[in-house]
Amino acid sequence: MKRRGSGLLLHITSLPSRYGIGDMGPEACRFADFLAAAGQSLWQILPLNPTEPIHHNTPYHSISAFAGNPMLISPDVLVEEGLLEPSDLEPVPAFPAAEVAFDAVRTYKTPLLERAFERFTRRKLAADYERFCKEQAHWLDDFALFKALRTHFDGRIWTGWPRDLRDRHVESLAAARKELADRIERERFIQFVFFAQWARLRQYGSRLDLQLFGDMPIYVDLDSADLWTHPELFHLDEEKRPTVVAGVPPDYFSSTGQLWGNPIYRWDALQRTGYRWWMDRIVHNLELFDLVRIDHFIGMVTYWAVPAAEKSAINGRWCEAPADDFFRRLAKKLPYLPLVAEDLGSVTPAVREVMARFDIPGMKVLLFAFGDKMPENPYIPHNLPANSVAYTGTHDTNTVRGWFEKEATPEDKERLFRYLGRPVPPDELAWELIRLLMGSVANTVILPVQDLLGLGDEARMNRPAVREGNWKYRLEPGRLTPALSERLRKTVETYGRN
């Protein structure tokens, strides 16, 4: 993060693939090749954890903070490793090329993973599988049991399971492990395959001097293995229901704030354990990535707690987390903290102090720079600090072209053109903003692939105020051409980012 560099933002699900969703197979390696040829040093992705239809497939809501998403497993790699036959993949449905068809992908891939497990069980257990299960037992054993029980109870949330299982009575857990042994082993195997394929992709990127930049949601879901396993670390009542939940207070954008509904950490209980669960989580992520973004970083310092019975976030209150103590202990465990703070929106001076004290860079988004106070705007290129990660836009914003055509006011456009020194047509605008950021002093620049391609609103990844229809964008085959790679490489060379 201290040297000048740049990278691209593209989630694994957005890669091309004939299987309806991007995966960790050949197309991921081809994208890594493109990044290297284009002079890029970073590939940023979104969280890798399992996604759920009930949460509209967002990667920011998951049943585990540690497990990987089985839908990202590559069938081609399973064939290559002898866990599937080529004939097992046929017929491949006619999936759309431009978006992820989540439900159809699950229908197609789930039987493939079952078949791979059956073939795996006919072999002797491999030493690397046994080693994986032993090394990851601190989360894997409980996760596999959680998944098996969740299936056994037809997807019912764990708070509605029989009380002895809900409250993790030792005898009941032992009986469940015996009764559901085959399903538990299957879940372990799927996670083994996921992490083996990820390690393979990371090694491929490492050979290209490419760093992988991950993303970690700050909160976890009530319906998760983490809550079931560690209820004492969260504000829950005797029936394991949240007493307070997370959100953000009313502001300029919403008169009622945002009520997220996630359970809130009991930082006092975490502190008594030396923050073990959080430490394990960060170390786990840094075994997967070279750099990790903490989403909603403000919650590590101060958080908005709303009584669980409330229907909006209005009646919450600010509470303090022991941020200094936490990050001091983390720094002793990891002398170098390769973290990035998602610090967009309203951030308190206390958050800035923690970021400065532990040398954690924040984010700067160029699309936020052209408001009515542009000269002093913290996101305008002439105000960017060196220790920051600068973006044209993020997965939560529109694309540059989409913003210009659908959201920017006439005054925004006038200020933008004044800053650029000339009017620019929409199809050239994204590259003008890319050039602005590349020439800034920000150590790191990240570009969504959609902006590299000059795509519009139709290619947006997420609309935060809209629950359905998000996370579907896919990069169509053939869009990343050698000419585009050369143009990007010359740009980073011009501005000393290689």
Side-chain angles (χ1 to χ4, degrees), residues 177 182 203 220 224 262 314 372 381 389 392 395-396 419:
R177 287 191 179 98
D182 183 67
Q203 289 167 6
V220 293
S224 68
N262 303 80
I314 292 176
D372 57 2
V389 184
T392 47
H395 65 274
D396 279 335
Y419 199 80

Side-chain angles (χ1 to χ4, degrees), residues 249-258:
D251 58 17
Y252 174 82
F253 299 102
S254 172
S255 60
T256 59
Q258 296 180 43

Side-chain angles (χ1 to χ4, degrees), residues 342-358:
E342 185 277 293
D343 60 339
L344 305 174
S346 299
V347 176
T348 65
V351 174
R352 296 285 178 224
E353 290 170 10
V354 169
M355 291 171 61
R357 188 172 300 123
F358 296 97

Side-chain angles (χ1 to χ4, degrees), residues 238-310:
E238 292 182 356
E239 298 299 315
K240 303 298 192 292
R241 297 170 302 201
T243 56
V244 289
V245 295
V248 292
D251 58 17
Y252 174 82
F253 299 102
S254 172
S255 60
T256 59
Q258 296 180 43
L259 188 63
W260 296 336
N262 303 80
I264 288 178
Y265 300 109
R266 283 190 56 197
W267 282 102
D268 58 337
L270 281 161
Q271 192 171 37
R272 286 194 293 271
T273 69
Y275 310 100
R276 184 172 58 247
W277 181 86
W278 256 108
M279 297 287 177
D280 288 347
R281 187 185 186 196
I282 290 178
V283 168
H284 178 76
N285 273 271
L286 291 176
E287 288 171 350
L288 303 178
F289 306 106
D290 301 285
L291 187 66
V292 174
R293 186 190 87 131
I294 299 180
D295 191 41
H296 193 65
F297 185 84
I298 186 176
M300 302 296 295
V301 183
T302 182
Y303 55 92
W304 189 248
V306 183
E310 293 290 329

Side-chain angles (χ1 to χ4, degrees), residues 154-328:
D154 299 319
R156 196 188 323 163
I157 187 171
W158 66 272
T159 54
W161 295 352
R163 184 178 294 267
D164 57 331
L165 289 169
R166 184 199 72 183
D167 294 343
R168 296 177 58 83
H169 294 174
V170 174
E171 299 83 358
S172 300
L173 293 181
R177 287 191 179 98
K178 184 176 180 180
E179 179 185 355
L180 303 173
D182 183 67
R183 182 74 253 177
I184 290 169
E185 201 66 40
R186 199 169 306 175
E187 296 298 339
R188 284 197 187 100
F189 165 76
I190 289 172
Q191 290 302 309
F192 166 69
V193 170
F194 175 92
F195 285 101
Q197 289 197 6
W198 181 257
R200 170 180 166 143
L201 177 59
R202 187 173 184 188
Q203 289 167 6
Y204 189 89
S206 181
R207 290 196 294 270
L208 298 171
D209 291 326
L210 188 64
Q211 292 188 307
L212 297 178
F213 184 178
D215 199 342
M216 187 171 64
I218 185 171
Y219 292 118
V220 293
D221 284 9
L222 175 62
D223 187 13
S224 68
D226 308 282
L227 264 293
W228 178 59
T229 307
H230 303 288
E232 73 283 359
L233 301 181
F234 300 85
H235 285 281
L236 306 178
D237 64 18
E238 292 182 356
E239 298 299 315
K240 303 298 192 292
R241 297 170 302 201
T243 56
V244 289
V245 295
V248 292
D251 58 17
Y252 174 82
F253 299 102
S254 172
S255 60
T256 59
Q258 296 180 43
L259 188 63
W260 296 336
N262 303 80
I264 288 178
Y265 300 109
R266 283 190 56 197
W267 282 102
D268 58 337
L270 281 161
Q271 192 171 37
R272 286 194 293 271
T273 69
Y275 310 100
R276 184 172 58 247
W277 181 86
W278 256 108
M279 297 287 177
D280 288 347
R281 187 185 186 196
I282 290 178
V283 168
H284 178 76
N285 273 271
L286 291 176
E287 288 171 350
L288 303 178
F289 306 106
D290 301 285
L291 187 66
V292 174
R293 186 190 87 131
I294 299 180
D295 191 41
H296 193 65
F297 185 84
I298 186 176
M300 302 296 295
V301 183
T302 182
Y303 55 92
W304 189 248
V306 183
E310 293 290 329
K311 302 301 182 184
S312 77
I314 292 176
N315 294 320
R317 65 187 181 93
W318 285 112
C319 302
E320 300 298 318
D324 277 344
D325 185 49
F326 173 78
F327 283 106
R328 270 199 300 268

Side-chain angles (χ1 to χ4, degrees), residues 3 5-7 35 39-43 209-212 497:
R3 67 182 180 91
S6 63
L35 286 162
Q40 303 304 292
S41 54
L42 288 163
W43 176 3
D209 291 326
L210 188 64
Q211 292 188 307
L212 297 178
R497 292 192 177 274

